Amino acid sequence: LTLPVRRLGEGFGLNLLLGAAGYRGDTRFGATVMYQMAGAYEAYKDKGDYNPGDIFSLAAAVDVKRAKMRYVGDATVSTFTTDKLDDRKVFRQSSHFDLHVGAIYDGTSIDHAGNARYLIRGRNTTYDTTTVETIRNQLKIYGNELFLSGSLLWSRSAKWHAGPTLEWRYIGANEYDF
C-alpha cells in the first residue's frame, strides 16, 4: 500500500499506522489507517513557529492472481488538518482520493506491467493572516492527476529485476489563472 506524503517539516513527527491483510484462494487484500502528526518548527528566523497540518489516511487494496496474470487495485482517501503559523491558520490542503489499478503478466524471464492512477484533488484553503482566521481563497493549487505507466522487467531471480519503464503524467489546470 502506498500512502502519499507531500508535506514534511523539521519538527517532531509521529506516524501511527494500523493495518490488516489476509487472503482467500488467489486473492490477497489489505487495509490501513494512518495518522501522521507533523510537529511545529521555526521555518524562518524570527517569524514564529510553523506547524504543518496533520494527515489522516484510509487505504484498501486487493491483488488477484489468475494463471500468469496478476491484477492489483487500491484506493486511498486522505484528509489534512490546517497549517498554522504561531497558532494562526494559514493554509489547509484539500482532501484527496487516489485510485490505482494495474496488471502484471508473469512471463518466464520477462514480466510486463501496466498501471493507471487517478488522483482527485479538492480546493485548498488559504487564510488571511492579517485578520482573525478569515478565508482569503479556496482554489485548486493543482488539478486532478492522471498517471499511466508500462514496464518490461527482465529477471533471473525473484529478488532482482531490470528493464525500461515508460511513464506519462497529466495534471489538470489549477485555479490561479496560470
Side-chain angles (χ1 to χ4, degrees):
L1 299 177
T2 300
L3 301 172
V5 177
R6 296 185 186 260
R7 301 180 304 165
L8 301 175
E10 295 177 1
F12 174 77
L14 178 66
N15 188 328
L16 302 172
L17 179 68
L18 176 65
Y23 68 93
R24 183 173 204 153
D26 290 337
T27 303
R28 297 182 295 180
F29 47 87
T32 61
V33 176
M34 191 244 346
Y35 174 75
Q36 180 179 337
M37 182 195 80
Y41 62 98
E42 187 178 27
Y44 299 102
K45 187 173 174 73
D46 300 326
K47 297 293 182 185
D49 285 339
Y50 183 75
N51 188 355
D54 300 340
I55 303 168
F56 178 75
S57 292
L58 296 172
V62 65
D63 180 319
V64 179
K65 180 134 175 91
R66 298 282 186 254
K68 289 187 165 244
M69 290 296 296
R70 190 161 47 103
Y71 304 96
V72 296
D74 59 79
T76 303
V77 63
S78 299
T79 61
F80 304 84
T81 61
T82 305
D83 296 8
K84 294 182 178 180
L85 179 62
D86 274 346
D87 289 326
R88 291 187 328 266
K89 292 180 180 180
V90 291
F91 180 78
R92 181 171 180 154
Q93 183 172 334
S94 73
S95 297
H96 60 251
F97 185 58
D98 189 2
L99 292 169
H100 164 253
V101 293
I104 300 123
Y105 174 77
D106 295 321
T108 305
S109 62
I110 300 174
D111 297 341
H112 310 308
N115 288 284
R117 181 175 297 279
Y118 192 65
L119 177 62
I120 302 167
R121 295 183 174 105
R123 289 184 169 89
N124 299 295
T125 303
T126 304
Y127 294 88
D128 184 348
T129 58
T130 60
T131 60
V132 180
E133 297 182 0
T134 303
I135 294 174
R136 181 185 314 154
N137 63 46
Q138 289 183 306
L139 299 171
K140 279 190 177 188
I141 293 176
Y142 300 103
N144 296 341
E145 185 173 324
L146 176 63
F147 173 81
L148 303 172
S149 71
S151 301
L152 291 175
L153 301 169
W154 285 272
S155 63
R156 293 223 179 249
S157 74
K159 293 183 180 180
W160 294 96
H161 302 278
T165 298
L166 179 63
E167 296 180 347
W168 179 80
R169 183 180 309 258
Y170 175 80
I171 300 174
N174 65 30
E175 295 177 340
Y176 283 91
D177 294 329
F178 66 91

